[in-house]
Amino acid sequence: MDMRQLKALVRIAETGSFSEAARRLNVTQPALSRQIRLLEESLGERLLLRTGRGAVPTEAGHLLLARADLILGEVEKARQAIASRQDAVTGRVAFGLPPSVGVRLTGPVVARYRARHPQVGLAIVEELSGEVQQGLLTGTLDLGLLYAGTVSPSLRSEPLLAERLHVLAPPGGAILSGRPVPFHDL
């Protein structure tokens, strides 16, 4: 007994016709008849009664049809499960970022990544920007987050955000005059 034979039996029972079942299965009628004959021989039972108007299942045919639907349904579920696994992203990703950024981003990054890619292992590596860049260049890291100005031209980068920095000083400090302070003055 194989899947083609079960499919043949189900289609014949659905249509009541060898010729219509053969058309739906995209096989010749003699090939379909041969599948049913082999199935009947392997079980030692007649499964279909051929009439002048088509074919109808015997008692044994009805018993097998009930199980054939379950078997074919389970086989289809298995195929779908395997196909969805093939479409799923799997593996391991090492993501490096500076500790100052990691404090704020690690939790949200991990949560969103796990939600989108549950079958991917995620390793978060907190290092200074220079070490993150070195890990990207040597291949020990797959992705990284660096501050602008430290990115090697060998790496592909995409700006994520611009951050405003502020200089703080005690009240009455000479540095703060209410206007921008050039970096070299600091």
Side-chain angles (χ1 to χ4, degrees), residues 8 21 24 62 68-71 78-79 87 90 93 99 109 135 140 152 170 178:
R24 288 187 185 184
H62 281 293
D69 283 335
L70 294 172
I71 292 166
R79 280 192 183 127
D87 292 341
T90 60
V93 173
V109 165
T140 58
S152 165

Side-chain angles (χ1 to χ4, degrees), residues 107-148:
V109 165
V110 169
R112 288 184 69 188
Y113 198 84
R114 285 270 182 239
R116 288 185 182 174
H117 307 289
Q119 295 178 334
V120 175
L122 180 62
I124 300 290
V125 178
E126 288 190 8
E127 292 285 353
L128 297 176
S129 291
E131 293 299 317
V132 170
Q133 181 168 236
Q134 191 61 30
L136 291 166
L137 290 168
T138 61
T140 58
L141 293 176
D142 301 302
L143 297 168
L145 193 60
L146 300 171
Y147 290 107

Side-chain angles (χ1 to χ4, degrees), residues 98 100-101 104-105 145-148 159-166:
S100 58
V101 176
R104 294 193 64 202
L105 292 182
L145 193 60
L146 300 171
Y147 290 107
L160 294 179
L161 66 102
E163 191 174 40
R164 291 180 54 180
L165 296 178
H166 299 271

Side-chain angles (χ1 to χ4, degrees), residues 80-97:
Q80 289 173 357
I82 290 169
S84 70
R85 187 177 186 301
Q86 290 171 345
D87 292 341
V89 178
T90 60
R92 180 182 175 276
V93 173
F95 181 63
L97 67 165

